């Protein structure tokens, strides 16, 4: 009771101080808003305001008592003390001083005597868990009581933050350097998504420049993005763009489904060089150019055109190369005009001098008549040539000539033409078999998911026409509006699902390769063939990436994880499954029913589960062929295929027809996903076949 009262007193002081700071920031924002020069400062103030505003729930959640007597309170956002030279009242969980809260152990106390987890509800302290770090207690988990209490809470269908209960191996990944690709392997329930999102918040806090570049979070589906939607705002982060690979291209949408066979073919890395070769073949061939300017024709010979093309094209997309060539052509034409004018004037001068010579032979020089006539200077000055070049550059007829000789390419039309021409595919993608080419060319019009990375590649090769950039106030809005936006960091969740061409999409958006990818290679369901991370990223990252692993399963109970060994073996896994650290005390159950009784049995089973887990969530996972019928009789619960359920969790899962799931493409991987969605109870229905 004394600890509760102590923390309640501190929370009251922190809440009051937060209110003062919010009022100060609000007043400063009102002043800054009237001065256009203060826009950058206004964005910084707004960021501080939003972080503090959203930190109302979880303003404090932890405390560190140092061996030297120092006491630090941790919270979702930092709270400054009233005195400018005083230590913060509450330190931000991302600050370096907060790290021992997640990493100190009895064996390595890191200068700490005690770690305290503070549970709150709004402005009320509801619980305190003390963990001595003096060796008297040597638990496996940091804040085990708080962690297990959080894991035992009902699921609401929305992901929550875990800043109060992060564990050491999670924290090490969250705070890892961001200078290169980091790929995190983690089985079910290891907190991969939690780690990825908290890493975003940490990086934005630690590397302020990322807030100006934005961070891209790629998820596997819109449902998944909706699931995580509240996490980053709750952590105080707003400079984040969330998307799927299907939605990365502004103004482009998937309009049709596709077969797994077609998706696998078009996901291969071979398309990158194939598309590069095809787009390069569309460049104009050097030849003599005959241009008209002010009624006269001027010729640029083929060798000069070839040199101009050679200097304009390398390292540039088609739009930039075309602009560079056009600038050279304007200069070449200006030089040709100047040279022709000089030649004409020289001819005129020579004729005039001969006429004067004849005249001189018959006339004796008199007063005021010089011995020789003045020369006519036909040379244009540099300023006159530059003025001429500018006039040529602004001339509509010259622009039309360039358009006709080097047409502006459209990425969509270019890709569609390529994909539906068997001869072009044979020429530029010789690795494809005749049957594979036939499959690709026979696909209907419209964009399928695997077309989006190809379209992105073509758009990158062709480039962007010159257009005004978005002037949106928030960096995330500006980033979303531009296909070629360069992000400061990219986080990929469920990264095992990405094809090689989708990995190319990721790298294009972050050329510095500051990438965090999290996933479980054993849960891969996509049509691609890779079964290891090395195979997945070889075409884009080569060997230059760092591996990390999450080894502890926090979500899925031991009773359920014990079922996964044979399934992983059938899936061909090369990884050791994560170690479950909690037990629900509920043994997974199975019921066998007649084929015609599956729907009724599912309705009864779901009703039982919802009754046992009031306030929580129940989910149903089934083979794709059964989803429609089950959805019709279970309208109030999610009924999903194994791929659709990936990344989600419920208090209880009803798994229907495990054999049917295993029989689907990569079905054993899918069954592994289906088994591991629950936090408490797993039920299974099986019918006779």
């Amino acid at each position: 009771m004394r600890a509760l009262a102590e923390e309640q007193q501190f929370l009251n002081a922190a809440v009051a101080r937060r209110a003062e700071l919010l009022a100060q920031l609000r007043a400063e924002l009102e002043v800054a808003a009237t001065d256009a020069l203060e826009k950058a400062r206004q964005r910084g103030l707004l960021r501080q305001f939003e972080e503090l505003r959203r930190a109302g729930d979880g303003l404090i959640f932890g405390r560190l008592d140092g061996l030297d007597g120092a006491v630090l309170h941790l919270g979702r956002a930092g709270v400054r003390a009233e005195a400018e030279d005083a230590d913060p009242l509450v330190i931000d969980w991302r600050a370096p001083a907060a790290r021992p809260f997640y990493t100190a152990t009895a064996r390595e106390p890191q200068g700490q005597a005690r770690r305290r987890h503070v549970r709150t509800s709004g402005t009320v302290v509801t619980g305190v868990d003390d963990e001595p770090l003096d060796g008297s207690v040597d638990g496996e988990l940091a804040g085990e009581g708080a962690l297990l209490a959080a894991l035992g809470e009902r699921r609401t269908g929305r992901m929550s933050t875990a800043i109060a209960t992060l564990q050491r191996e999670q924290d090490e990944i969250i705070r890892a350097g961001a200078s290169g690709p980091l790929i995190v392997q983690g089985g079910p329930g290891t907190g991969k998504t939690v780690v990825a999102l908290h890493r975003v918040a940490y990086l934005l806090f630690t590397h302020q420049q990322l807030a100006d570049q934005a961070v891209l979070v790629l998820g596997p589906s819109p449902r998944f993005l909706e699931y995580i939607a509240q996490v980053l705002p709750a952590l105080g982060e707003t400079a984040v763009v969330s998307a799927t690979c299907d939605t990365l291209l502004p103004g482009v949408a998937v309009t049709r489904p596709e077969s797994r066979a077609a998706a696998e073919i078009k996901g291969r890395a071979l398309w990158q060089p194939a598309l590069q070769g095809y787009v390069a073949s569309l460049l104009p061939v050097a030849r003599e150019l005959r241009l008209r300017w002010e009624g006269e024709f001027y010729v640029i010979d083929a060798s000069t055109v070839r040199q101009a093309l050679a200097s304009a094209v390398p390292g540039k997309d088609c739009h930039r190369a075309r602009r560079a060539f056009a600038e050279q052509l304007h200069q070449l034409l200006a030089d040709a005009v100047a040279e022709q004018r000089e030649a004409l004037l020289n001819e005129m001068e020579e004729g005039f001098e001969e006429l004067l010579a004849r005249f001189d032979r018959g006339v004796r020089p008199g007063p005021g008549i010089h011995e020789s006539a003045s020369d006519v200077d036909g040379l244009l000055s540099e300023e006159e040539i530059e003025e001429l070049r500018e006039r040529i550059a602004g001339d509509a007829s010259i622009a039309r000539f360039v358009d006709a000789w080097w047409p502006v390419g459209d990425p969509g039309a270019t890709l569609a033409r390529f994909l539906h021409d068997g001869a072009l595919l044979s020429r530029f993608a010789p690795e494809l078999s005749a049957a594979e080419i036939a499959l690709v060319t026979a696909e209907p019009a419209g964009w399928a998911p695997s077309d989006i990375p190809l379209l992105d590649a073509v758009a990158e090769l062709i480039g962007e026409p010159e257009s005004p950039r978005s002037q949106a106030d928030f960096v995330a809005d500006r980033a979303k509006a531009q296909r070629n936006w360069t992000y400061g960091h990219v986080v990929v969740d469920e990264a095992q699902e990405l094809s090689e061409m989708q990995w190319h999409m990721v790298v294009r958006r972050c050329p510095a390769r500051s990438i965090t990818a999290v996933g479980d290679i054993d849960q891969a369901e996509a049509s691609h063939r890779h079964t290891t991370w090395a195979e997945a990223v070889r075409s884009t990252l080569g060997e230059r990436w760092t591996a990390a692993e999450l080894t502890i399963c926090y979500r899925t109970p031991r009773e359920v994880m014990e079922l996964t060994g044979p399934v992983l073996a059938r899936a061909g896994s090369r990884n050791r499954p994560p170690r479950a650290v909690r037990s629900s005390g509920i043994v997974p159950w199975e019921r066998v029913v007649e084929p015609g009784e599956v729907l009724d049995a599912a309705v009864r089973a779901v009703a039982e589960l919802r009754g046992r887990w009031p306030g929580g969530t129940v989910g149903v996972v089934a083979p794709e062929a059964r989803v429609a019928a089950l959805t019709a009789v279970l309208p109030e619960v999610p009924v999903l295929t194994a791929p659709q359920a990936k990344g989600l969790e419920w208090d209880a899962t009803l798994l229907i027809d495990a054999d049917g799931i295993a029989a689907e493409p990569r079905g054993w991987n899918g069954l592994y996903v289906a088994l591991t969605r629950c936090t408490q109870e797993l039920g299974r229905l099986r019918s006779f076949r």
Side-chain angles (χ1 to χ4, degrees), residues 447-595:
W447 301 126
S450 67
D451 291 320
I452 303 301
L454 305 186
L455 184 58
D456 186 59
V458 174
E460 182 75 7
L461 293 166
I462 289 179
E464 312 291 334
E466 289 185 297
S467 59
R469 290 184 173 268
S470 169
Q471 299 301 311
D473 288 336
F474 295 104
V475 63
D477 294 328
R478 297 197 300 274
K480 281 189 289 189
Q482 294 177 216
R483 185 206 62 80
N484 59 345
W485 183 272
T486 298
Y487 290 90
H489 193 80
V490 178
V491 170
V492 186
D493 205 345
E494 301 293 348
Q496 74 278 356
E497 302 302 335
L498 267 61
S499 69
E500 290 172 317
M501 288 304 295
Q502 286 172 328
W503 272 107
H504 277 286
M505 288 185 81
V506 172
V507 172
R508 277 185 213 108
R509 278 150 184 80
C510 190
R513 302 191 177 191
S514 181
I515 299 167
T516 300
V518 302
D520 181 5
I521 205 73
D522 293 326
Q523 294 186 59
E525 189 278 334
S527 58
H528 53 63
R529 298 172 179 175
H530 59 248
T531 58
T532 67
W533 288 114
E535 293 171 351
V537 302
R538 184 176 295 125
S539 69
T540 50
L541 305 181
E543 305 298 326
R544 301 179 66 179
W545 53 278
T546 302
E549 187 173 7
L550 294 167
T551 63
I552 300 173
C553 175
Y554 306 101
R555 177 187 67 214
T556 311
R558 289 192 191 97
E559 294 86 348
V560 174
M561 287 304 295
E562 289 173 356
L563 301 176
T564 62
V567 175
L568 280 175
R570 294 294 298 271
S573 171
R574 306 179 192 182
N575 300 304
R576 180 179 300 175
R579 178 169 52 88
V581 295
R582 56 183 286 271
S583 171
S584 67
I586 303 173
V587 176
W589 50 266
E590 183 176 62
R591 296 173 186 169
V592 180
V593 299
E594 295 290 337

Side-chain angles (χ1 to χ4, degrees), residues 350-369:
E350 290 174 1
F352 184 61
E353 288 177 346
E354 183 179 350
L355 182 62
L356 282 176
R358 292 175 183 173
F359 180 76
D360 286 344
R361 284 193 293 269
V363 179
R364 190 177 186 85
I369 300 179

Side-chain angles (χ1 to χ4, degrees), residues 180-215:
L182 175 65
I183 297 181
V184 183
Q185 163 64 29
T190 54
K192 298 182 293 297
T193 301
V194 164
V195 166
L197 298 180
H198 286 69
R199 177 160 167 77
V200 170
Y202 169 76
L203 291 175
L204 284 167
F205 176 84
T206 307
H207 306 284
Q208 295 293 323
Q209 73 276 13
L210 293 184
D212 296 326
Q213 298 174 274
V215 171

Side-chain angles (χ1 to χ4, degrees), residues 157-159 221-230:
R158 285 181 178 266
M159 177 173 278
S221 66
R223 180 189 290 271
F224 180 81
L225 296 180
E226 181 182 351
Y227 176 56
I228 67 171
Q230 299 303 309

Side-chain angles (χ1 to χ4, degrees), residues 540-678:
T540 50
L541 305 181
E543 305 298 326
R544 301 179 66 179
W545 53 278
T546 302
E549 187 173 7
L550 294 167
T551 63
I552 300 173
C553 175
Y554 306 101
R555 177 187 67 214
T556 311
R558 289 192 191 97
E559 294 86 348
V560 174
M561 287 304 295
E562 289 173 356
L563 301 176
T564 62
V567 175
L568 280 175
R570 294 294 298 271
S573 171
R574 306 179 192 182
N575 300 304
R576 180 179 300 175
R579 178 169 52 88
V581 295
R582 56 183 286 271
S583 171
S584 67
I586 303 173
V587 176
W589 50 266
E590 183 176 62
R591 296 173 186 169
V592 180
V593 299
E594 295 290 337
E597 299 176 357
V598 171
L599 296 181
D600 290 340
V603 171
R604 291 192 299 270
V606 167
E608 293 172 14
L609 292 172
R610 296 180 75 181
R612 281 198 288 274
W613 302 104
T617 57
V618 176
V620 177
V621 185
E624 184 175 9
R626 292 186 180 271
V627 167
L630 287 165
T631 299
V633 298
L634 295 168
E636 297 181 2
V637 298
V639 180
L640 306 174
T641 64
Q644 292 170 338
K646 193 174 289 129
L648 305 181
E649 61 180 36
W650 304 290
D651 293 277
T653 300
L654 180 64
L655 171 58
I656 296 176
D657 190 6
D659 292 340
I661 293 176
E664 294 178 329
R666 299 193 80 156
W668 290 103
N669 302 84
L671 184 55
Y672 181 50
V673 172
L675 286 170
T676 54
R677 297 305 94 199
C678 72

